[in-house]
Amino acid sequence: MSNQLNPVRVLVIGCGNMGASHAIAYHNTPGFEIVGLVSRGKSKEVLNARMGANYPLFDDMDSAMAATKPDAVCISTYPDTHERFAVQAFEAGCHVFIEKPVADSVEGAERVVAASKKANKKLVVGYILRHHPSWEKFIELTGQLGKPLVMRMNLNQQSDGAMWTLHRNLMSSLSPIVDCGVHYIDVMCQMTRSKPVQVYAIGARLTDEIPADNYNYGQLQIRFEDGSVGWYEAGWGPMVSETAYFVKDVFGPKGSVSIVAKDAGGAGKSASIESHSKTESILFHHADLDKDEKFAKKDILINLEDEPDHQELCNREQRYFLKSILENLDLTAHGDDAVNSLRIAFACDESVKTGQVVSLI
């Protein structure tokens, strides 16, 4: 019997920015059937109206799980609930798609991965850049630069209104360099395929509106076993500068590769979720010199034709989730990578708070 006749019945928990995007993906993807939307507030009603749908609505996971008995659960809530919701879903025999980070601690993430293995169910983590053809190309091209690599990345967000509310809420449990940094740490690990050995990080608390032990600006540095080094910075809030807030740049002995996002990196776009995944073009620079020590090759600007918007990236993530279920994909490496990137991010968090270099070996 075809999958069209046996759709994967999915319960959506969390109906904010990412939860809404994932729900829309399920709504429009043959092979999925939404059995319920869960949120504490009115976002589920707003989402139902946005999709022109009439899906069952629930205020909490327990009642939703009991009523719907889903095949899969999508978790897009705040990070401090991820572990509890994911483990509960696995114990109920569900596959799980979960927004990054997997949990709000390394130990919690390990427990989530263990629960997925015990239940023999799929765990897909929302590393959205892994589904972006331009980022796949970016990572591929860095393989032509030789070793070691120097990786420079940031995403600072000048936020007000609803985005500042979102950022404040996120910072009740995590810092920007943990919440966002896991994406770019994951990218650095893919680029080097080398073991991270040491991290150092700094941070600053620029507002009294977040917990006393947290910070809304952070910058991390990673040393890899192969000699590669990378840094990432992230700041959230109404005080954050939009100058040079979007940097995605890698160089090695043979040249450099850079994402050049003239529109997405333009003024007033730093808090736009839609712009965060845009790449637009990649600049490839060759380091080769001629006999006069002038550059022997011209820079190449690669204009990217397959440039999915944020919703299409979420669609692709969910198609991958469906594929992993239907084709029984081995996701062991996927889960291990998610835990590894979080382990590195939390080591950076420790470095901010202690002022010390943290060894990872």
Side-chain angles (χ1 to χ4, degrees), residues 21-34:
S21 294
H22 295 313
I24 290 168
Y26 296 131
H27 182 71
N28 294 322
T29 301
F32 281 116
E33 176 190 335
I34 296 175

Side-chain angles (χ1 to χ4, degrees), residues 131-360:
H131 301 272
H132 198 309
S134 304
W135 277 85
E136 291 177 296
K137 185 68 173 176
F138 184 39
I139 293 167
E140 175 196 327
L141 290 172
T142 62
Q144 300 178 31
L145 302 179
K147 291 286 189 73
L149 294 174
V150 174
M151 298 165 287
R152 311 188 304 158
M153 301 186 192
N154 74 3
L155 182 59
N156 292 298
Q157 298 177 55
Q158 186 182 91
S159 56
D160 64 355
M163 280 304 295
W164 179 226
T165 298
L166 172 64
H167 286 152
R168 266 197 313 258
N169 289 339
L170 284 168
M171 286 185 286
S172 67
S173 58
L174 292 179
S175 70
I177 61 168
V178 173
D179 183 80
C180 277
V182 289
H183 277 307
Y184 302 99
I185 291 169
D186 182 56
V187 166
M188 291 181 194
C189 290
Q190 290 181 70
M191 287 176 170
T192 62
R193 284 300 170 197
S194 178
K195 180 187 286 186
V197 296
Q198 188 183 76
V199 300
Y200 178 67
I202 55 174
R205 182 173 180 265
L206 303 173
T207 174
D208 292 332
E209 295 187 55
I210 62 175
D213 64 345
N214 207 350
Y215 49 95
N216 65 309
Y217 170 83
Q219 194 251 28
L220 62 88
Q221 301 174 6
I222 310 177
R223 293 180 185 271
F224 290 85
E225 199 170 51
D226 67 356
S228 295
V229 294
W231 63 254
Y232 173 75
E233 70 167 7
W236 293 341
M239 73 294 291
V240 171
S241 167
E242 287 195 324
T243 298
Y245 73 82
F246 186 98
V247 176
K248 308 290 184 289
D249 185 42
V250 180
F251 49 96
K254 297 180 181 179
S256 63
V257 179
S258 312
I259 288 179
V260 182
K262 292 179 181 177
D263 179 58
K269 301 283 183 70
S270 71
S272 165
I273 291 175
E274 183 64 44
S275 74
H276 295 170
S277 54
K278 285 189 178 298
T279 50
E280 299 169 27
S281 57
I282 293 176
L283 182 66
F284 194 110
H285 165 71
H286 294 277
D288 303 6
L289 300 176
D290 62 19
K291 60 180 175 39
D292 298 318
E293 295 204 326
K294 300 291 187 182
F295 287 116
K297 299 177 181 178
K298 291 184 177 180
D299 291 352
I300 301 169
L301 191 65
I302 303 166
N303 288 312
L304 302 158
E305 296 179 2
D306 184 8
E307 181 71 356
D309 63 14
H310 185 265
Q311 183 56 54
E312 174 56 22
L313 284 171
C314 292
N315 298 344
R316 294 182 186 199
E317 281 190 290
Q318 298 310 331
R319 289 200 291 269
Y320 177 74
F321 185 36
L322 184 64
K323 179 183 174 74
S324 75
I325 295 169
L326 298 182
E327 299 181 16
N328 192 28
L329 300 183
D330 183 353
L331 299 181
T332 303
H334 180 87
D336 290 346
D337 285 350
V339 174
N340 183 52
S341 60
L342 191 58
R343 180 179 288 109
I344 298 165
F346 274 115
C348 295
D349 201 50
E350 178 187 343
S351 179
V352 172
K353 292 172 180 177
T354 63
Q356 303 297 312
V357 172
V358 176
S359 173
L360 297 170

Side-chain angles (χ1 to χ4, degrees), residues 83 103 105-112:
E83 176 188 352
S105 70
V106 176
E107 296 76 18
E110 290 173 335
R111 287 190 289 267
V112 170

